Amino acid sequence: MAVLLLAEVTDGALALDATAKAVTAAAALGDVTVLAAGASAAAAGAEAAKIAGVSRVLVAEDPSLGHRLAEPTAALIVSLAGDYEHIVAPATTDAKNVLPRVAALLDVMVISDVTAVVDGSTFERPIYAGNAIQTVKSSDTKKVISFRTATFDAAGDGGSATVETIGAAENPGLSEWVEDKVAASDRPELTSAGVVVSGGRGVGSEEDFKLIEGLADKLGAAVGASRAAVDSGYAPNDWQVGQTGKVVAPDLYIAIGISGAIQHLAGMKDSKVIVAINKDEEAPIFQVADFGLVADLFTAVPELSEKLG
Amino acid sequence: MKVLVPVKRVIDYNVKVRVKADGSGVDLANVKMSMNPFDEIAVEEAIRLKEAGKADEVIAVSIGVKQAQETLRTALAMGADRAILVVAAEDVHTDIEPLAVAKILAKVVEEEQPGIVLAGKQAIDNDMNATGQMLSALLGWSQGTFASELDIDGDTAKVTREVDGGLQTISVKMPAIVTVDLRLNEPRYASLPNIMKAKKKPMAEKTAADYGVDTTPRLEVVSTSEPAARAAGIMVGSVDELVEKLKEAGAV
């Protein structure tokens, strides 16, 4: 029983945390082969070879694979699919773009956002924004799965997998990359940060979001935002935590001025310790918080920044 | 150019879902149902394409139970020109899987020959995020997923996509499948006169069998359960107390 795992490679660099978490999930299914695909992917492949639990790495370098376009990446995976019973990836936007295409080309169902492996065909996944957990059993001969990384621990290092170079599949030539607009930041990446400080609509403005950012920088944390804050223009969309944004599970999650709509809770309720600061004592966020503080964030957050510094 | 917009009838996003006591699924009987919010954005974008003179006709299609005709009427009231209802299930608790939906949509595309299919990026019930990509694969078309901007120019369309690190812009060959994300637009409300008018707009009724598609699920639902509840936390009275508790818990 062999597993093909699509590594998360962006501009030649391996997203180690997401990939290593998917390796942990995949190792429960069988022997793990990692596919590192990109315009340049050799360095990413070499790094993936060191993840404990990886037995083989395939490196595919081709200009067509450079910008994670769905069509050439799916074509490559389908060309390799014969050798594998499971085709998996961390549940990133890239994987969610590619895997359903792979599944349809193989005439199987995709199983998205898996949070637990019961056995080789049976998996748990959240539905209704995490308000219910469904266990599904696949009758397909091949299983195409994305793993929600927040619920798996990252596999360690110390692996020494063999690395092979393979060619790309024929590029269907249906789409072309134009540009990426990636927010430059010195902060840790939201989905893999140990601490996340998030602001909501209660923060009130883009300027006042600096308070949230200040506390985050004090703690070496990533900055998050509720959908309400994003919709109000206080924070960019790539900070959004929730059903429609990113799912995070840091060791410490500090929710400031966030009421706790179901859609936000879906994105952070697996955090180990949750702190909520809100002036409304009825805010639903307090129902999931380990530590709640009813206070005006404009006085509490600067004080917290100072006392944690 | 025709625009095809698949729409799904789902539990209204404001309703708190309840897991059935026997673990067989989520209770959908006597619950308010609405159009999947992402699909509303797709319908809105299609209507805007028509208003901008880039599309001639907007066709809404829904695959599911007969009651999905209400969802299609909503699309018609927003401004779609006609609708196709494909009845593929009798029980409201039967969810047709994205693969089967994509197969039926591929047949509808063959018949209707749209220049673009605009779909929601995911349905808020099964959260699978798959139908658009699967349809694209079956048709051999280009795909632009999670769109926050769409600009059609002749044989190509520029799609700006919401991705983990920020935004990615790609150019896709037409015809294309574009799945839409939240920030693409704000859907309009249907006015009362338009709701009345929608009742007279044509709605064709078909079945999955008419398209020769087997909708037998590939994933058997073994059980559905409530998520584990978090243990109750404590309220603290001051920032000092919060800092103390966080230190005790080893969180900072």
Side-chain angles (χ1 to χ4, degrees):
Chain A
M1 298 234 285
V3 186
L4 181 68
L5 189 158
L6 176 66
E8 181 76 2
V9 179
T10 304
D11 294 334
L14 180 73
L16 180 62
D17 185 70
T19 305
K21 285 172 172 170
V23 168
T24 298
L29 298 168
D31 206 32
V32 179
T33 297
V34 167
L35 170 63
S40 65
E47 200 181 347
K50 294 183 195 142
I51 301 173
V54 176
S55 64
R56 192 160 73 122
V57 173
L58 303 177
V59 172
E61 290 190 328
D62 190 81
S64 68
L65 301 169
H67 298 284
R68 301 109 63 208
L69 294 173
E71 301 91 345
T73 309
L76 170 64
I77 295 171
V78 170
S79 75
L80 301 170
D83 297 336
Y84 303 94
E85 187 180 336
H86 297 88
I87 296 167
V88 307
T92 58
T93 47
D94 285 350
K96 288 178 174 181
N97 189 30
V98 171
L99 288 186
R101 189 172 183 100
V102 170
L105 292 170
L106 296 172
D107 192 27
V108 303
M109 252 308 280
V110 69
I111 312 170
S112 309
D113 274 321
V114 164
T115 50
V117 174
V118 178
D119 61 40
S121 339
T122 314
F123 308 93
E124 283 182 18
R125 58 183 302 272
I127 55 172
Y128 291 95
N131 286 296
I133 308 295
Q134 200 163 60
T135 304
V136 293
K137 186 176 169 61
S138 169
S139 58
D140 285 321
T141 50
K142 288 188 193 298
K143 286 87 180 169
V144 177
I145 301 162
S146 65
F147 290 113
R148 180 168 283 194
T149 50
T151 52
F152 296 95
D153 293 325
D157 53 11
S160 56
T162 57
V163 179
E164 291 166 43
T165 304
I166 59 167
E170 193 181 341
N171 182 3
L174 294 166
S175 56
E176 281 173 34
W177 173 80
V178 178
E179 64 171 343
D180 284 337
K181 278 191 190 156
V182 178
S185 170
D186 296 333
R187 298 194 184 105
E189 206 263 316
L190 187 53
T191 52
S192 57
V195 182
V196 174
V197 181
S198 285
R201 203 203 310 265
V203 177
S205 71
E206 194 180 351
E207 294 77 63
D208 287 330
F209 228 82
K210 295 270 184 290
L211 273 179
I212 308 298
E213 296 174 55
L215 178 58
D217 290 341
K218 217 47 181 277
L219 295 169
V223 181
S226 69
R227 183 173 156 195
V230 171
D231 283 348
S232 305
Y234 306 164
N237 190 54
D238 47 299
W239 289 3
Q240 190 190 144
V241 172
Q243 180 189 19
T244 52
K246 296 192 173 76
V247 178
V248 301
D251 295 329
L252 174 61
Y253 187 90
I254 305 181
I256 298 166
I258 292 177
S259 64
I262 292 169
Q263 101 88 26
H264 184 75
L265 302 184
M268 45 66 78
K269 66 182 167 56
D270 292 328
S271 306
K272 290 200 179 69
V273 174
I274 297 174
V275 171
I277 300 174
N278 201 302
K279 66 179 177 192
D280 175 11
E281 63 186 87
E282 303 289 323
I285 190 79
F286 288 124
Q287 289 165 19
V288 301
D290 298 285
F291 305 113
L293 175 63
V294 178
D296 180 2
L297 69 93
F298 294 101
T299 54
V301 174
E303 190 185 343
L304 187 61
S305 281
E306 193 193 313
K307 288 181 174 159
L308 285 176
Chain B
M1 180 178 82
K2 289 186 195 173
V3 185
L4 186 72
V5 188
V7 295
K8 186 174 186 182
R9 177 180 187 266
V10 299
I11 195 164
D12 186 88
Y13 75 103
N14 283 315
V15 173
K16 172 136 182 59
V17 302
R18 285 181 205 289
V19 174
K20 287 198 279 188
D22 64 0
S24 64
V26 162
D27 194 0
L28 297 178
N30 305 314
V31 171
K32 186 184 178 197
M33 304 294 281
S34 298
M35 188 189 299
N36 178 41
F38 290 103
D39 301 350
E40 277 189 328
I41 296 169
V43 172
E44 174 66 33
E45 194 67 14
I47 296 164
R48 290 186 190 188
L49 285 175
K50 190 181 171 191
E51 287 168 348
K54 292 192 172 181
D56 312 308
E57 192 183 27
V58 176
I59 307 156
V61 55
S62 193
I63 295 153
V65 291
K66 189 148 185 158
Q67 291 91 324
Q69 59 182 274
E70 295 158 18
T71 313
L72 287 168
R73 287 291 168 208
T74 304
L76 294 170
M78 286 173 72
D81 296 293
R82 61 187 167 92
I84 303 167
L85 171 67
V86 182
V87 179
E90 281 177 15
D91 182 346
V92 293
H93 293 92
T94 307
D95 189 33
I96 310 296
E97 286 177 353
L99 181 63
V101 170
K103 286 179 177 180
I104 292 170
L105 288 175
K107 300 280 185 184
V108 175
V109 166
E110 268 172 36
E111 272 180 20
E112 297 287 347
Q113 299 284 316
I116 190 168
V117 177
L118 285 173
K121 77 160 180 179
Q122 76 185 64
I124 62 163
D125 50 4
N126 64 35
D127 283 333
M128 201 63 95
N129 190 335
T131 302
Q133 297 91 313
M134 290 187 137
L135 175 60
S136 173
L138 296 175
L139 294 169
W141 286 14
S142 62
Q143 72 181 53
T145 50
F146 327 143
S148 64
E149 271 179 67
L150 171 65
D151 183 10
I152 299 173
D153 185 13
D155 295 339
T156 60
K158 235 188 209 182
V159 182
T160 298
R161 309 176 52 236
E162 303 264 4
V163 295
D164 284 337
L167 297 172
Q168 180 190 52
T169 304
I170 59 172
S171 169
V172 298
K173 264 190 196 162
M174 300 284 277
I177 312 286
V178 173
T179 77
V180 307
D181 217 320
L182 286 171
R183 295 198 300 171
L184 183 64
N185 61 47
E186 269 189 44
R188 68 194 67 191
Y189 290 101
S191 67
L192 189 61
N194 283 343
I195 292 171
M196 301 309 290
K197 261 194 261 173
K199 292 183 178 166
K200 298 202 179 87
K201 287 184 179 176
M203 188 183 303
E205 192 177 320
K206 308 260 192 169
T207 65
D210 291 340
Y211 295 103
V213 173
D214 178 4
T215 60
T216 309
R218 306 292 185 87
L219 303 180
E220 176 205 344
V221 176
V222 179
S223 65
T224 306
S225 58
E226 298 269 3
R230 283 187 78 91
I234 58 163
M235 299 303 286
V236 294
S238 68
V239 170
D240 284 325
E241 195 185 344
L242 176 60
V243 171
E244 190 186 315
K245 294 285 182 198
L246 285 175
K247 285 184 175 157
E248 272 172 31
V252 291

